[in-house]
Amino acid sequence: MPGGSVPGLSMSSALIAIDWGTTTARAYRLDAGGRIAHMVSAPLGVQKVAAGGFPAALAMLLDDLQSDAAPMIACGMIGSRQGWIEVPYLQCPADAASIASALVPVPQTRLLIVPGLLCRDATGSPDVMRGEETQILGAFADAETRGRFRVVILPGTHSKWTVVGDSGIETFATFLTGELYAVLREHSILGRLAEPGEDRAALERGVRRSLASEASLSHDLFSARTLALTDELAPGAVGDYLSGLLLGAELAAGRRWLERQRVPGERVHLIGDPALCERYARAFAVAGIDATPGPPEAAARGLWRIARHAGLVGVVP
């Protein structure tokens, strides 16, 4: 089976929680206390499963579905238009209880899928997330957001800036920072002078330029080429400098967005890949923002919380 054998998924569980994304699926066996007893990961993301192939993919991920009668719940792109079934978006604000009430069952299975969330910006344009909502719910207990706002940022291909408060996930904004970086490195003239390497100073230099710039990002980005052409930036530093420019631009736009929400942005919480979160923390430090890493395996924690509200496990106090 992909990802190796899964001793533990065949044992008795209180809940099987699945974070099913674009490229990877992760399954967690949770015990009666919501603790992770076992986890398995496999390259069975929705982009890698052919039409009609999700039942077989689920069987491969869990190995033996008949050996464990625990309820199953999944979040992420499995509920997208490209997934197993399309689950409608839930409007923000949304908390664990409202999300639990909108779970959608997959026909002929015992799998329930978590809805994504939708909000609208000041112009009325929609913004969406799938999977991140569950990670956010897994990062905080209700008491930690009662009477206060938390700013949660989930770095990635499509970075999410989120405001969490009394009503749960209040609103959010998406920035295509990671995807822009990949496109520019692989398909633009800016990446042609870049060589492998890491340069923290170059990253911070790019962040500072974007934060201080009065020009457009499209102008600032070209400096990644001109600095290299004039030997003012080493080839191995071009990638980090370009990354810093994009991170600085995201940070500046994110701060303006928080100001419009009337939410302070001096402290943020980061959830996601540790290496990427560390890169964001460096960028935020340049701007004097305190960035705290969130808990590991937040998706599993969030799925447990949603399952409790849905009555699948335990009792919500």
Side-chain angles (χ1 to χ4, degrees):
M1 97 147 243
S5 61
V6 283
L9 282 179
S10 60
M11 298 167 60
S12 178
S13 312
L15 181 72
I16 294 175
I18 304 171
D19 180 10
W20 205 324
T22 302
T23 59
T24 303
R26 294 181 178 86
Y28 303 86
R29 182 174 67 82
L30 305 180
D31 65 18
R35 295 176 291 270
I36 298 172
H38 193 80
M39 186 276 283
V40 62
S41 177
L44 293 169
V46 298
Q47 283 188 345
K48 301 183 179 182
V49 179
F54 285 103
L58 182 62
M60 292 177 67
L61 181 64
L62 300 185
D63 196 17
D64 184 1
L65 295 179
Q66 303 306 315
S67 65
D68 195 325
M72 293 192 296
I73 184 171
C75 68
M77 293 302 288
I78 190 64
S80 70
R81 190 163 297 178
Q82 295 76 39
W84 197 334
I85 60 172
E86 185 174 5
V87 179
Y89 291 105
L90 188 65
Q91 292 276 352
C92 284
D95 58 11
S98 60
I99 290 174
S101 69
L103 295 175
V104 173
V106 177
Q108 301 179 344
T109 77
R110 66 179 190 276
L111 180 65
L112 297 168
I113 298 182
V114 175
L117 297 186
L118 182 148
C119 67
R120 292 185 181 274
D121 64 18
T123 70
S125 298
D127 202 339
V128 297
M129 65 166 60
R130 281 198 191 275
E132 293 94 349
E133 73 294 320
T134 304
Q135 292 177 278
I136 294 166
L137 291 177
F140 302 105
D142 288 330
E144 293 181 280
T145 56
R146 193 169 295 129
R148 71 177 77 178
F149 288 118
R150 300 276 188 172
V151 178
V152 183
I153 298 171
L154 299 97
T157 305
H158 301 157
S159 177
K160 306 289 183 181
W161 286 55
T162 309
V163 174
V164 184
D166 285 339
S167 298
I169 299 171
E170 306 273 355
T171 189
F172 59 91
T174 302
F175 298 87
L176 270 71
T177 306
E179 186 163 354
L180 280 174
Y181 177 75
V183 169
L184 291 171
R185 278 297 306 267
E186 298 169 15
H187 302 291
S188 83
I189 197 170
L190 300 180
R192 293 183 183 177
L193 294 178
E195 295 180 1
E198 293 186 10
D199 192 316
R200 179 170 181 165
L203 177 79
E204 295 173 355
R205 180 181 182 180
V207 172
R208 283 193 296 270
R209 170 158 182 160
S210 279
L211 290 177
S213 179
E214 296 181 358
S216 67
L217 177 61
S218 61
H219 170 74
D220 291 335
L221 286 171
F222 195 63
S223 68
R225 177 168 175 79
T226 57
L227 287 170
L229 287 173
T230 56
D231 297 323
E232 296 174 60
L233 190 66
V238 172
D240 276 333
Y241 176 73
L242 181 59
S243 175
L245 288 173
L246 292 169
L247 286 175
E250 177 186 329
L251 199 163
R255 288 200 299 194
R256 291 193 297 271
W257 177 77
L258 287 175
E259 289 172 2
R260 291 194 295 272
Q261 310 306 316
R262 298 182 180 180
V263 173
E266 294 82 11
R267 176 171 296 180
V268 302
H269 299 266
L270 297 173
I271 301 176
D273 174 76
L276 190 52
C277 285
E278 197 274 337
R279 176 172 287 261
Y280 267 68
R282 287 185 192 175
F284 285 14
V286 172
I289 296 175
D290 180 20
T292 303
E297 310 297 354
R301 298 169 186 267
L303 286 166
W304 175 262
R305 188 176 174 191
I306 293 168
R308 292 187 70 194
H309 278 277
L312 300 176
V313 294
V315 178
V316 177

